[in-house]
Amino acid sequence: MILHCVFLRLKSAMTQDEKKSLFESVVALQQVVPGVVDVKYGPNVSPEGLHGGFADGFVVTFESAEARDAYLVHPDHVAVGERIVSSTDGGLAGLMVFDFNL
């Protein structure tokens, strides 16, 4: 299994409702992309203060690397990805992706 972690530096002007809608669009991908096992999202709650401005994020659990790879090019994921990038401070510089094997 693969854990796909995405950390975001969202635009400060985003409301809580806009954030919720954005993350719910990620959760909805579980219904259309095969191999997505689970999706979780939320704000960083670490007391360490080492988030580097990446204050929100989500994780997607995939059943395999192949499922993750299919997700990356799936048209619905591409559309959600474009929405995410346009919601971050700095475009692609406003997100960090880290995947690892479970």
Side-chain angles (χ1 to χ4, degrees):
M1 293 196 346
I2 298 287
L3 189 64
H4 177 70
C5 307
V6 181
F7 306 108
L8 305 168
R9 190 170 45 232
L10 294 171
K11 292 178 180 175
S12 60
M14 284 192 78
T15 67
Q16 289 302 317
D17 286 344
E18 290 170 329
K19 286 182 184 183
K20 183 178 179 186
S21 173
L22 180 66
F23 289 123
E24 286 178 348
S25 71
V26 176
V27 172
L29 293 172
Q30 187 172 2
Q31 304 305 313
V32 295
V33 180
V36 175
V37 176
D38 190 36
V39 180
K40 301 277 190 241
Y41 66 88
N44 180 357
V45 295
S46 172
E48 295 178 291
L50 300 174
H51 54 74
F54 294 90
D56 295 279
F58 63 91
V59 294
V60 181
T61 306
F62 294 97
E63 63 186 26
S64 65
E66 294 79 16
R68 185 262 331 264
D69 295 348
Y71 163 88
L72 294 176
V73 297
H74 191 283
D76 289 347
H77 168 260
V78 171
V80 171
E82 290 171 358
R83 183 175 171 199
I84 290 169
V85 171
S86 70
S87 298
T88 62
D89 185 19
L92 287 175
L95 62 99
M96 180 175 56
V97 177
F98 188 94
D99 291 358
F100 60 93
N101 291 311
L102 294 179

